[in-house]
Amino acid sequence: MGGIDLEIGENVFSDIEFPVSFSVSDGKVTVYAFDSGGGYYFADHAAPNEKIYTNKLGSITNFDFFKKSGEFSFIGANDFQGVLPVSRADGESGVIRVVSGVYPFLASELCASDAGYVWIKTADFALSYEKRIKRYDLRNTVIKGNPICMISSQYFTEQLFATGSEIQMNQLSSEGFALTVLSLDKSYDAAMISSEQGIANDIKEKGSFYPMNNVPGVSEYLNRCFPYIKDAVTDPEGNICLLPITVEIPLIVYNEKNCAENGIVLSSELESFIQAVKQVSAVSEYYDCTHHWLIQTQLNGYHAENRSFDTEEFRRLAVRLNEQCTEDIFKVNFDLYSALMTVQNGMEELYYPRIYGKTLFTQLLYRIKQVALINDENLRTSPLPLPLPDNGKSVAVCTFLCVNPYSDRLSETLGFIENIVNTMSSVRNSCMLADQSTYEDTAFACDLYSIYQNGEICFQIPTEIYADDFERYCAVEITLDKFIAKLSAYLNE
């Protein structure tokens, strides 16, 4: 890092190693940098050895002060995608999420004024090329410090948003996360967990969580959600121990016209779906449905309705997946989603026009990507096939938030929960709210609503328990009986 001396025209280098970004405010240059000993830190450019370390921001590409008292806004950190966050350079304050739906075109495009305003070049949704400059009024933003400590053991595609809440996210190992939650540790305030995680069911059954029935807005919010979501977070005594944050069902998005012209009919019945994919593989490369995700969907769907894998029904399913869902037919095509998104951005003449015009279908696993296509009049969506079509329900992956009853900041944490449900109650296209008027009025949105309305949540078998061994079974390295024996042992059958 250096600066130009305008009198002599030379670059004067700073002693600060590994600078990440910097901001100029009130005649002072504040640098955000990294060292291998202490991690990320702030320093005055004029006094580089006086470091204020922080572990809350990670690698940010730009920040700018909007108050003379030291509050700044920043962008560029993965943990805050889609959110405009603010903090202070004191090493102690938390991060406040002040605005949601912020998607900068370039991570460096942000500026602010001491009057309390921030300008940013942003879009209405992720991956959009249609940008506009927006101004945000942050004059009343207050950062108090002592943030709510949130723990998790994995990255989540959608992050929590509650206006004015300070959160410090700590991602632990799976073992560390489970031990922290189950040992009644007081070091955290709340935890995020997914129903697809291996430890999720044990934590649900054995963990100690603060019941949220009396937190303002929680019961009202759950009553607005699809009934199966409310059932999944309520124990037999009626206690609301988990707060659902997002729900995701893996889907197939297809071009209705292209599929019709090629005689392709996608079915929720496994055998018919496999035949449709075989038919497509013989005439086109413009489809995307992977061997791995189809198998995972089938095993999770079976487990949702059956407590035992030691059955003739499961043996028939496993043999069918082994013999017919082969990797030479179920292929990956990463360009298809990008091609679909270009139309949403109005850039179809510049990016992937040939691919979009020929796309038949692609799998979409995450809600945020599904919703991004909700206004495309050429697209429709259907669930991945169900192993038990008579049931007619798709397994949804749910992300939950639970509150530590032994937290030293229980009152503040419950206030945070109240803010979250107030925010989620007004989200459009949430895939959780039962009121169909909260969704767009398009054919794609109607499909999406119908699929999520008929979902179910189960605490699934962790992928590591079955994925590798199922591949070994398909490769004739282990027998089907040995594979079933391992699943049965995990489930204590």
Side-chain angles (χ1 to χ4, degrees):
M1 182 177 181
I4 299 295
D5 186 324
L6 297 180
E7 293 185 359
I8 61 176
E10 292 184 359
N11 187 13
V12 180
F13 288 100
S14 166
D15 292 332
I16 297 177
E17 294 184 314
F18 304 115
V20 178
S21 56
F22 71 93
S23 179
V24 180
S25 177
D26 205 21
K28 175 183 176 181
V29 179
T30 302
V31 183
Y32 185 62
F34 180 86
D35 72 39
S36 57
Y40 292 101
Y41 66 91
F42 290 96
D44 185 340
H45 185 267
N49 293 323
E50 298 176 9
K51 301 176 180 180
I52 301 174
Y53 288 94
T54 176
N55 64 355
K56 61 183 179 290
L57 302 183
S59 180
I60 63 175
T61 54
N62 191 19
F63 68 100
D64 210 356
F65 293 93
F66 61 86
K67 281 186 180 181
K68 291 187 177 181
S69 54
E71 287 85 350
F72 64 85
S73 182
F74 66 91
I75 53 178
N78 290 333
D79 288 346
F80 303 101
Q81 182 179 6
V83 175
L84 182 60
V86 301
S87 188
R88 290 173 63 97
D90 57 10
E92 298 295 332
S93 299
V95 177
I96 295 181
R97 289 137 168 85
V98 289
V99 183
S100 64
V102 177
Y103 301 101
F105 183 55
L106 294 174
S108 61
E109 296 180 353
L110 174 147
C111 64
S113 72
D114 289 343
Y117 297 99
V118 170
W119 290 263
I120 186 170
K121 189 176 183 182
T122 183
D124 294 330
F125 54 88
L127 303 179
S128 173
Y129 294 93
E130 183 178 343
K131 301 289 179 176
R132 61 185 62 84
I133 294 175
K134 297 182 72 173
R135 187 189 77 168
Y136 300 100
D137 184 352
L138 305 185
R139 289 176 295 177
N140 296 322
T141 300
V142 178
I143 303 174
K144 301 175 182 177
N146 195 18
I148 292 170
C149 179
M150 188 88 59
I151 62 171
S152 70
S153 64
Q154 71 174 46
Y155 174 76
F156 294 96
T157 57
E158 297 189 54
Q159 302 299 313
L160 288 170
F161 178 78
T163 303
S165 295
E166 299 173 70
I167 307 171
Q168 178 180 327
M169 291 294 298
N170 295 327
Q171 186 170 330
L172 310 178
S173 67
S174 297
E175 295 79 7
F177 178 81
L179 181 62
T180 300
V181 173
L182 295 176
S183 65
L184 310 181
D185 195 307
K186 299 176 65 174
S187 64
Y188 77 98
D189 303 309
M192 285 184 68
I193 189 168
S194 168
S195 60
E196 68 178 347
Q197 291 180 257
I199 194 63
N201 191 57
D202 287 340
I203 287 179
K204 181 188 178 186
E205 297 297 326
K206 302 173 184 177
S208 179
F209 307 124
Y210 186 89
M212 292 177 266
N213 302 60
N214 295 325
V215 177
V218 170
S219 294
E220 292 81 357
Y221 173 71
L222 289 179
N223 287 334
R224 296 186 60 196
C225 292
F226 294 127
Y228 71 88
I229 297 176
K230 180 179 179 180
D231 292 343
V233 301
T234 306
D235 69 17
E237 286 72 40
N239 296 313
I240 301 169
C241 296
L242 305 169
L243 182 70
I245 301 300
T246 61
V247 168
E248 296 177 318
I249 294 177
L251 302 178
I252 291 290
V253 173
Y254 62 96
N255 185 301
E256 190 173 24
K257 177 174 176 291
N258 291 352
C259 285
E261 289 178 349
N262 287 275
I264 306 300
V265 179
L266 299 173
S267 171
S268 61
E269 196 278 319
L270 179 60
E271 185 65 38
S272 298
F273 181 85
I274 293 172
Q275 295 308 314
V277 176
K278 287 182 177 179
Q279 179 184 350
V280 172
S281 68
V283 298
S284 174
E285 61 182 295
Y286 298 103
Y287 71 96
D288 171 35
C289 186
T290 63
H291 164 83
H292 167 76
W293 278 107
L294 182 65
I295 288 176
Q296 181 166 333
T297 301
Q298 300 310 299
L299 295 183
N300 288 340
Y302 177 88
H303 184 225
E305 299 300 320
N306 296 270
R307 296 298 92 186
S308 174
F309 285 86
D310 191 8
T311 66
E312 288 304 314
E313 184 177 35
F314 178 74
R315 285 180 168 82
R316 287 193 298 270
L317 174 63
V319 170
R320 184 186 303 172
L321 293 174
N322 179 22
E323 293 179 348
Q324 300 191 48
C325 298
T326 57
E327 291 184 336
D328 61 328
I329 297 173
F330 288 85
K331 301 177 180 179
V332 180
N333 189 330
F334 293 111
D335 289 335
L336 295 188
Y337 175 70
S338 297
L340 296 179
M341 283 302 303
T342 58
V343 172
Q344 325 310 313
N345 305 331
M347 304 293 286
E348 62 268 30
E349 297 303 320
L350 299 178
Y351 299 94
Y352 303 105
R354 180 178 62 85
I355 296 177
Y356 180 88
K358 295 184 178 181
T359 294
L360 292 170
F361 60 86
T362 182
Q363 61 186 8
L364 286 185
L365 310 176
Y366 305 115
R367 187 201 73 92
I368 193 170
K369 292 185 175 182
Q370 297 163 1
V371 172
L373 302 172
I374 204 166
N375 290 308
D376 192 320
E377 62 184 15
N378 296 315
L379 302 180
R380 303 292 297 272
T381 184
S382 63
L384 282 168
L386 306 171
L388 303 171
D390 292 340
N391 178 50
K393 294 184 182 295
S394 298
V395 176
V397 175
C398 187
T399 300
F400 304 99
L401 184 66
C402 52
V403 175
N404 182 3
Y406 303 99
S407 164
D408 292 330
R409 305 186 65 234
L410 182 58
S411 177
E412 293 90 338
T413 305
L414 297 180
F416 167 64
I417 296 294
E418 182 178 354
N419 286 341
I420 287 179
V421 295
N422 288 338
T423 299
M424 292 193 300
S425 295
S426 60
V427 173
R428 291 192 60 77
N429 308 314
S430 71
C431 296
M432 296 175 66
L433 297 178
D435 182 358
Q436 195 165 2
S437 68
T438 61
Y439 298 77
E440 303 302 320
D441 186 19
T442 65
F444 189 103
C446 290
D447 292 341
L448 200 69
Y449 180 86
S450 177
I451 293 168
Y452 277 89
Q453 181 186 37
N454 291 292
E456 61 180 329
I457 296 170
C458 75
F459 288 82
Q460 300 169 13
I461 312 166
T463 304
E464 62 270 19
I465 295 297
Y466 67 79
D468 292 343
D469 279 348
F470 194 87
E471 294 296 336
R472 292 175 63 201
Y473 155 64
C474 293
V476 200
E477 295 177 9
I478 62 173
T479 65
L480 180 56
D481 284 337
K482 187 172 182 178
F483 173 68
I484 291 174
K486 181 172 181 178
L487 286 178
S488 298
Y490 173 78
L491 296 172
N492 296 317
E493 292 181 9

